[in-house]
Amino acid sequence: MRPARFWLRSLGGVGTLGAALLLGLTAAPTAPAAPAASAAPAAATVTHEAENAVISQGVVESNHAGFTGTGFVNYNNSTGSYVEWTVDAAQAGSTSLTLRYANGTTANRPMDITVNGAVAAAKRAFPGTGAWTSWATTTVTADLKAGANTVRATATTANGGPNVDHLAVETGGPAPGGKTPVAINGQLKVCGTKLCNQYGKPVQLRGMSTHGLQWYSQCVTSGSLDALSTDWNADVLRISMYIQEGGYETNPRKFTDLVHSIIEQATARGLYAIVDWHMLSPGDPNVNLSRAKTFFTEMSQRHANKNNLLYEIANEPSGVSWSKIKSYAEQLIPVIRQNDPDTPILVGTRAWSSLGVSEDSDETEIVNNPVNASNIMYTFHFYAASHGTEYLNTLSRAADRLPMFVTEFGTQTASGDGGNNFTRAQQYIDLMASKKISWSNWNYSDDERSGAVFKEGTCNKNGPWTGTGQLKPAGVWVRDRARTPDDFPTS
């Protein structure tokens, strides 16, 4: 299904999916324009979940999908019901208050928005959103004082208020705890079906995967990583170290040291780093179990005190049963845990990490027989021009029952080449945003295929790395989406 995108450059874009998997989806003709490279970074935003606020005449529920956090507030159908948040401000000044809500009725459910008892917006409209699972936002500008502030949303009619998900407050400066993703979020952990930060809040990481280091290490430089962290505003770098195909097995010391070096560079920039054990062919990860134990023993020993790593222990198993993948994970995970009890571990799924879909299965085999380990997530890979509704729906279902991380995706075909389907890719992006599924895009290189973000020759010329002039259409598209990161809630 996927091997064509991974072989040496001389093979070009050779390789296709079987006809049964090709969905023939229409690609969008052009990518949306990205913000100018010189644009100032957006003000930081802190998200305050409604379920953690003071609630009068309302209940916390979670029966309608699409909310952030652990639920939302369903107002009683009565005048005067409210939700009240405490908002800290580093300094006095005007700010934006954005309420996220859903209204599955056709009736407007207006509310008064007050700040410290003063009305900031009287009878602000909260019209119908079409369904209780369709979330919308409304923004109010108000003055906050330095220190603690109370923000209250009070229903003004007998219908009560809409379902309220959260209040997002633009701070006008760096988010609490620091400017970088790692400085803000700290050590990540799996909580329920989500990836959570040091405050126990679900977060979504967005970033890029390298291409194979045996071919494109020249694309992973100080300049390119500076651009990824400051121009792209990415949160995570996936370090793809192939095992075969001229990779790790040819020189374990060389490639282990290269991964160490890139981890240190990502750490210096406040990026999370996924250490990707990029097994591809053969598709049974057990073939490389001894090598994996050696590699991850050293990784977990040297980097145990870091708080910015994730270990991806099997890139794309294929032609092998879930029981064998599970057995591999349950033998390798304890090796890592002997040295590092905290780093989240990402487990590849059957059929090129498609949750089995590409081999006529689905997520139920994992739901019914999960890996016997804690603080783990399962991976899903998709290529939008090849993988349509069945794959999208499988990911959506799985994310409600399993911790999911999309460690690899592209806007083109599963070979990493061909036309881009930005329309379908945006459907995946929207789904991942709504369910806090983190992602990294394939790939941060100048390979000749359409899935490589840089135009050919960029890496050998050492850039330029910033802006969009050197990017292919897929690069422009994904940079635009990486530049609008998660809110990273801290309270």
Side-chain angles (χ1 to χ4, degrees), residues 283-484:
D284 183 353
N286 291 284
V287 172
N288 289 303
L289 178 59
S290 177
R291 294 184 181 97
K293 286 182 176 180
T294 299
F295 175 78
F296 280 109
T297 294
E298 182 169 332
M299 286 292 128
S300 59
Q301 286 174 339
R302 181 175 299 193
H303 304 291
N305 293 326
K306 288 185 171 65
N307 63 353
N308 66 315
L309 297 189
L310 301 100
Y311 293 128
E312 184 175 0
I313 61 174
N315 165 56
E316 287 188 346
S318 63
V320 64
S321 67
W322 167 245
S323 63
K324 289 186 177 180
I325 300 169
K326 177 176 181 286
S327 173
Y328 164 84
E330 290 176 349
Q331 292 177 76
L332 182 55
I333 290 172
V335 172
I336 297 172
R337 291 293 181 235
Q338 286 180 356
N339 303 312
D340 185 346
D342 299 321
T343 293
I345 294 174
L346 312 178
V347 180
T349 62
R350 189 154 74 88
W352 298 277
S353 285
S354 70
L355 289 165
V357 181
S358 293
E359 291 174 356
D360 300 320
S361 187
D362 60 29
E363 78 285 357
T364 56
E365 63 183 11
I366 303 176
V367 172
N368 295 333
N369 189 23
V371 172
N372 184 23
S374 60
N375 202 25
I376 67 168
M377 307 187 83
Y378 300 94
T379 67
F380 187 81
H381 296 176
F382 69 86
Y383 284 79
S386 293
H387 302 143
T389 302
E390 182 181 9
Y391 291 76
L392 184 69
N393 291 344
T394 300
L395 175 60
S396 180
R397 293 193 310 268
D400 292 335
R401 304 186 68 180
L402 299 167
M404 297 302 304
F405 198 124
V406 173
T407 54
E408 184 178 313
F409 83 91
T411 57
Q412 49 292 133
T413 67
S415 67
D417 204 1
N420 295 290
N421 189 331
F422 295 120
T423 301
R424 176 66 74 184
Q426 187 62 49
Q427 293 175 343
Y428 279 101
I429 289 288
D430 292 342
L431 171 68
M432 292 188 291
S434 70
K435 299 202 174 189
K436 294 281 188 181
I437 302 171
S438 297
W439 54 258
S440 60
N441 176 261
W442 184 268
N443 64 77
Y444 204 62
S445 84
D446 64 351
D447 177 22
E448 70 271 16
R449 298 170 183 85
S450 60
V453 298
F454 295 111
K455 295 175 181 177
E456 287 185 77
T458 300
C459 296
N460 287 337
K461 292 184 294 185
N462 195 27
W465 303 111
T466 59
T468 60
Q470 77 289 2
L471 297 179
K472 297 174 186 174
V476 175
W477 188 91
V478 74
R479 174 180 175 272
D480 191 22
R481 281 139 189 86
R483 283 167 62 86
T484 55

Side-chain angles (χ1 to χ4, degrees), residues 208-226:
M208 294 299 300
S209 174
T210 72
H211 205 317
L213 298 180
Q214 73 273 41
W215 303 315
Y216 293 99
S217 60
Q218 71 273 20
C219 298
V220 188
T221 69
S222 293
S224 72
L225 294 181
D226 284 345

